[in-house]
Amino acid sequence: MTQTTSVSRRSFIIGSAATGLSIAILSACSQQETLAGNGATDLPSPSEVNAWVHVGLDDIVTIRIARSEMGQGTLTGLAQLVADEMDADWEKVRTEYPTPGENLRRERVWGDFATGGSQGIRGSQDYVREGGAAAKAMLIEAAAQEWGVPVSECSSEKSIITHGPTGRTFSYGAVASKAAELAPPLEVTVKDPSEWTLIGKSVHRLDTADKLTGKQVYGLDLELEGMLNASIKGAPMRGGRLASYDTEAVMGMPGVRNVVSIEDPVVGATAVAVIAETWWQANQALEALPIEWERGPGSDHSSASFEALLDEGLTSDEGVFVGNSAGDVTSAFNQADQIVEAIYNMPHQNHACMEPLNATALWTEDKLEVWVPTQNGEAALAAASEATGMPIEKCEIYKLHLGGGFGRRGMPDFVTHAALVAKQMPGTPIKVLWSREECMRQGFYHPITKAKVRGALNADGNVTGLHMRISGQSILASLMPQALLGGADIATFQGLLPTGLDPRVEDQVLKYTYPNLLIDHAMRNPPVRPGFWRGVNLNQNGIYLECFMDELAQAAGRDPLEFRLAHLKDSPKMAAVLSAAAERSGWGSGDGKARGLCAMYGFGAYVAACAEVTVSDQGRLKIDRIVAATDPGYAVNPQQIEAQVEGSFVYGLSAMLHGEITFESGEVQQDNFNTFPSLTLAEMPVVETIVMPSGGFWGGVGEPTIAVAPPAVLNAIYAATGNRVRRLPIKDQNLRAL
């Protein structure tokens, strides 16, 4: 059905605020024009029809996108939504970022700038589509006024307005300036899905060509006149601070211009930066700089000793919070004919973005400007203002495309550092680039957890009770303690929450049904900064739940597919994606291939995978193929969804095979890709993706799919060897000798 939204003229232009990464889990400039590919032209500036749409006399439609592009395709997907609603010619569509400062000045007309939690499209699809629909209405009204005809006699297609009775036409560019003078409509009607012409199509991405030619400018590439470069180093141990450093020891080195410290208002100096003509000169001097660090709380932290605390949490009654419960689990276990138990783990992970963290800042007496690849432009703006004391209305953030984000670039610490460095050299742009080693040492790491899962089976092999105890770190307790509910971190229970708890977290609920259930969390926090790592807690929860479902099926003597489907009778959409992946892969075909399954619901989408593996006689793993199926409700660009599934599998399988951040004496023991490797081309399986949108809802894509690949592979390893992998990463384990 057609969706009609009544809005006041002012509220329409302001629009709705969307939610970003952490909020999704909890509460459910010329420089920019150049980067957007809108190079210099002799034509007048494009007319702003409304906040989202600018149209030039050359008919180029520039769509302004608040969300960040980091390879996931949100830029193109959001542009598709707007362009479809306004009947724009896709070949003439361009994009650009508005700035967070402009958003503030215009009463947050573009809503939320945060990009994460698979919210890029689903969190803003409604109001950006309304923006496109309003722009079309205004353009058609402008044309009708020029012709002196009723609006009802006019139609639009591919940026051309046609007067039906006479066949006269106007291009959008010809009437854009007049449309910009009109009042926005009081009511807008967005298209029914049956009317979509661009949404749902695999149109070409708007950023591919510039990436292929090298024209695309990332933060790492940015050059400003008179710019200097800085390399930075923070305390290598948890809780450490800067005690002293010897500036004179490096001031004579080539290119070095200054050495400055970063002051935290609470704990004092925490980092030191060397500024030089080139980054290499700055980093060489930084490595030669004599630095003394003062140890502090957490400086003695070690992964080995913390393991004992995780184990204690698996059985303790202290500091335990319930996330989901139903029935009487104790009675179910007392009456069980068979009890199955397993313990799994998930170590810390680093985001390991391909582009190291960087930001370029320029401080003057009355303005602070920062050019930065960030997932949250508004948070970056606020952090820069707060850290330097420059009033926020005198600060500006210019967003650049990200060379990977995965949640790390949603944290503004690297923006703060750049602003504080630039403040100490007024009038000079300073690019602060972190070394790979610094990125590894100063992370916001995926939380470390373990889980003990117990299942009760009756004589017929049916599950009568399930208890999952998660022991480990809370993200919110560290980053957003005000969001804890009675001390509990509900983000810990992603994919495991009960339905009906709160509409704002209904996109993270458990789809399996059990007569008796208890899922709880023993919060055990190490002195390590946790962070939102792509997929967040759905990653380990998928392993804990789906590997154990396989173990239950084995103990019950039932087919793993049939067993899962028996517990999904109340979730036909989950059953559909699971069945589709299994069927495409050849489940039950008797061809002798070792296969494993996984199905999860997260970020509002239904996802499943069926993996095929081979394990050599020496216990070496080869992941041959993974068939994935996903139902995100609506599929804006199916090809981008396929790419997102493949990319997320690289990330998830890298963690499963290799990823582990460990600490000794408070210091990270992995410092580069040689000790924290990513999946290699030789290790990458063939990936087939079934995109099966059922409509009626908007689910995520980039975050939920990562969670299904590792459990499917781990279950396939059991099918190949008869051995269960319960400790990650796999690394060099002999899978036939577990």
Side-chain angles (χ1 to χ4, degrees):
M1 61 180 293
T2 300
Q3 175 184 332
T4 301
T5 305
S6 297
V7 286
S8 70
R9 294 178 179 180
R10 182 173 182 274
S11 66
F12 169 74
I13 292 299
I14 293 176
S16 307
T19 54
L21 178 59
S22 58
I23 302 302
I25 294 169
L26 302 175
S27 62
C29 168
S30 59
Q31 174 67 29
Q32 292 303 104
E33 293 174 354
T34 301
L35 297 178
N38 306 326
T41 174
D42 294 331
L43 293 171
S45 298
S47 298
E48 180 180 295
V49 181
N50 62 28
W52 290 273
V53 177
H54 291 200
V55 183
L57 289 174
D58 55 358
D59 293 323
I60 293 297
V61 176
T62 301
I63 299 174
R64 308 190 79 190
I65 306 295
R67 307 289 185 166
S68 299
E69 177 58 53
M70 44 192 157
Q72 84 281 32
T74 292
L75 192 89
T76 296
L78 287 172
Q80 274 182 262
L81 296 177
V82 177
D84 196 313
E85 290 293 344
M86 66 176 294
D87 294 332
D89 183 345
W90 186 250
E91 298 304 318
K92 297 179 180 178
V93 170
R94 307 291 185 268
T95 62
E96 70 177 21
Y97 294 129
T99 68
E102 185 178 1
N103 196 42
L104 184 63
R105 290 188 292 275
R106 296 178 64 168
E107 302 183 71
R108 301 193 76 238
V109 59
W110 291 280
D112 193 346
F113 271 54
T115 309
S118 276
Q119 285 283 349
I121 287 179
R122 69 181 176 125
S124 49
Q125 55 80 23
D126 50 357
Y127 61 83
V128 301
R129 287 193 295 140
E130 291 165 9
K136 178 176 74 171
M138 296 164 73
L139 289 162
I140 291 177
E141 183 181 351
Q145 288 184 9
E146 286 291 324
W147 288 321
V149 302
V151 167
S152 60
E153 293 181 357
C154 302
S155 62
S156 59
E157 183 180 4
K158 288 193 172 183
S159 297
I160 298 294
I161 303 165
T162 301
H163 180 232
T166 65
R168 288 178 292 177
T169 62
F170 273 131
S171 71
Y172 279 178
V175 295
S177 60
K178 184 175 182 63
E181 298 172 355
L182 300 176
L186 294 175
E187 187 175 85
V188 292
T189 299
V190 297
K191 294 180 180 180
D192 182 84
S194 63
E195 302 173 293
W196 289 343
T197 58
L198 289 173
I199 303 171
K201 302 296 190 298
S202 295
V203 300
H204 65 79
R205 286 182 57 147
L206 298 176
D207 55 348
T208 299
D210 285 354
K211 289 178 178 178
L212 290 174
T213 62
K215 181 181 177 182
Q216 183 65 58
V217 175
Y218 291 89
L220 204 62
D221 308 316
L222 183 71
E223 295 289 340
L224 298 176
E225 185 176 355
M227 186 180 77
L228 295 177
N229 295 270
S231 184
I232 192 167
K233 182 181 290 187
M237 70 289 294
R238 304 312 96 184
R241 63 185 299 275
L242 182 63
S244 66
Y245 58 93
D246 185 0
T247 300
E248 296 304 317
V250 299
M251 283 303 294
M253 293 182 67
V256 173
R257 302 285 291 274
N258 204 352
V259 181
V260 300
S261 63
I262 303 298
E263 297 285 337
D264 184 284
V266 177
V267 300
T270 59
V272 61
V274 175
I275 303 167
E277 294 171 8
T278 69
W279 183 83
W280 182 255
Q281 291 171 335
N283 195 60
Q284 290 292 100
L286 183 62
E287 291 301 311
L289 182 68
I291 307 174
E292 295 291 333
W293 302 104
E294 181 180 312
R295 304 180 72 82
S299 293
D300 59 349
H301 174 65
S302 78
S303 297
S305 61
F306 189 72
E307 183 88 10
L309 191 59
L310 291 175
D311 290 338
E312 176 270 336
L314 294 176
T315 58
S316 175
D317 294 327
E318 299 295 325
V320 176
F321 303 94
V322 175
N324 196 348
S325 64
D328 187 343
V329 169
T330 301
S331 295
F333 280 100
N334 288 338
Q335 299 168 20
D337 290 285
Q338 184 180 2
I339 295 177
V340 182
E341 181 178 305
I343 296 176
Y344 309 94
N345 82 302
M346 172 61 80
H348 288 297
Q349 303 290 334
N350 190 287
H351 295 84
C353 305
M354 185 60 68
E355 179 190 21
L357 295 172
N358 67 87
T360 300
L362 173 60
W363 169 278
T364 60
E365 185 177 335
D366 58 357
K367 191 169 186 179
L368 171 61
E369 298 173 281
V370 184
W371 293 257
V372 59
T374 174
Q375 288 180 245
N376 195 334
E378 290 181 303
L381 180 70
S385 172
E386 182 178 3
T388 61
M390 181 70 77
I392 198 165
E393 63 271 14
K394 294 185 177 182
C395 298
E396 190 56 280
I397 300 291
Y398 306 112
K399 291 204 308 177
L400 308 171
H401 282 9
L402 288 65
F406 313 118
R408 179 61 179 92
R409 283 189 160 95
M411 305 307 296
D413 56 324
F414 63 105
V415 179
T416 296
H417 289 170
L420 290 172
V421 169
K423 185 178 180 180
Q424 298 180 69
M425 292 196 70
T428 302
I430 309 289
K431 180 192 290 184
V432 180
L433 170 63
W434 294 29
S435 67
R436 175 64 59 191
E437 291 76 12
E438 191 68 5
C439 290
M440 296 296 292
R441 288 190 293 256
Q442 308 297 338
F444 286 80
Y445 305 98
H446 185 286
I448 184 171
T449 59
K450 296 183 80 168
K452 180 178 182 179
V453 196
R454 303 175 69 231
L457 297 171
N458 62 17
D460 296 324
N462 296 314
V463 178
T464 58
L466 186 141
H467 177 204
M468 180 187 297
R469 163 62 63 83
I470 301 169
S471 174
Q473 191 170 19
S474 158
I475 298 176
L476 300 186
S478 174
L479 301 185
M480 302 177 66
Q482 73 278 10
L484 296 174
L485 300 179
D489 178 353
I490 62 170
T492 298
F493 302 102
Q494 276 186 284
L496 304 173
L497 289 166
T499 188
L501 176 67
D502 189 310
R504 295 167 296 182
V505 292
E506 195 66 24
D507 63 347
Q508 308 289 351
V509 301
L510 178 68
K511 292 299 181 179
Y512 288 120
T513 55
Y514 307 97
N516 302 286
L517 174 69
L518 176 61
I519 302 176
D520 51 17
H521 173 215
M523 190 182 296
R524 301 294 184 267
N525 292 320
V528 174
R529 299 188 305 189
F532 297 98
W533 188 91
R534 185 178 186 177
V536 201
N537 293 311
L538 195 69
N539 292 294
Q540 68 268 21
N541 292 345
I543 291 171
Y544 302 159
L545 179 64
E546 281 296 290
C547 287
F548 193 69
M549 285 293 285
D550 232 54
E551 299 208 32
L552 286 173
Q554 173 206 350
R558 296 170 64 177
D559 176 79
L561 175 60
E562 177 273 327
F563 184 77
R564 285 175 169 83
L565 292 174
H567 292 82
L568 289 172
K569 292 179 180 178
D570 294 334
S571 183
K573 292 182 186 296
M574 181 77 98
V577 294
L578 176 61
S579 298
E583 180 181 355
R584 173 75 67 85
S585 180
W587 186 272
S589 64
D591 58 8
K593 293 184 178 180
R595 294 185 174 91
L597 294 169
C598 177
M600 288 295 290
Y601 176 76
F603 300 93
Y606 301 85
V607 291
C610 185
E612 302 170 10
V613 308
T614 303
V615 179
S616 71
D617 292 340
Q618 293 73 40
R620 299 299 103 186
L621 172 66
K622 185 179 187 304
I623 308 171
D624 301 308
R625 176 184 181 224
I626 304 179
V627 176
T630 179
D631 178 1
Y634 293 112
V636 175
N637 189 313
Q639 190 280 326
Q640 287 186 187
I641 294 176
E642 293 175 13
Q644 276 289 278
V645 171
E646 293 167 6
S648 73
F649 282 7
V650 173
Y651 213 59
L653 294 175
S654 294
M656 181 198 76
L657 289 171
H658 309 296
E660 183 178 30
I661 292 294
T662 60
F663 293 86
E664 186 174 328
S665 298
E667 298 189 23
V668 174
Q669 299 303 292
Q670 294 74 27
D671 63 359
N672 212 313
F673 287 120
N674 62 320
T675 49
F676 190 80
S678 180
L679 199 73
T680 65
L681 285 174
E683 293 171 322
M684 181 66 186
V686 173
V687 176
E688 298 177 27
T689 302
I690 306 168
V691 182
M692 42 193 298
S694 59
F697 66 96
W698 295 83
V701 173
E703 306 250 8
T705 55
I706 185 177
V708 295
V713 170
L714 293 171
N715 291 332
I717 291 172
Y718 171 77
T721 66
N723 295 325
R724 293 284 178 190
V725 178
R726 299 193 183 100
R727 184 165 186 87
L728 298 179
I730 293 177
K731 288 189 174 178
D732 54 359
Q733 295 181 60
N734 183 337
L735 300 179
R736 293 195 179 275
L738 295 174

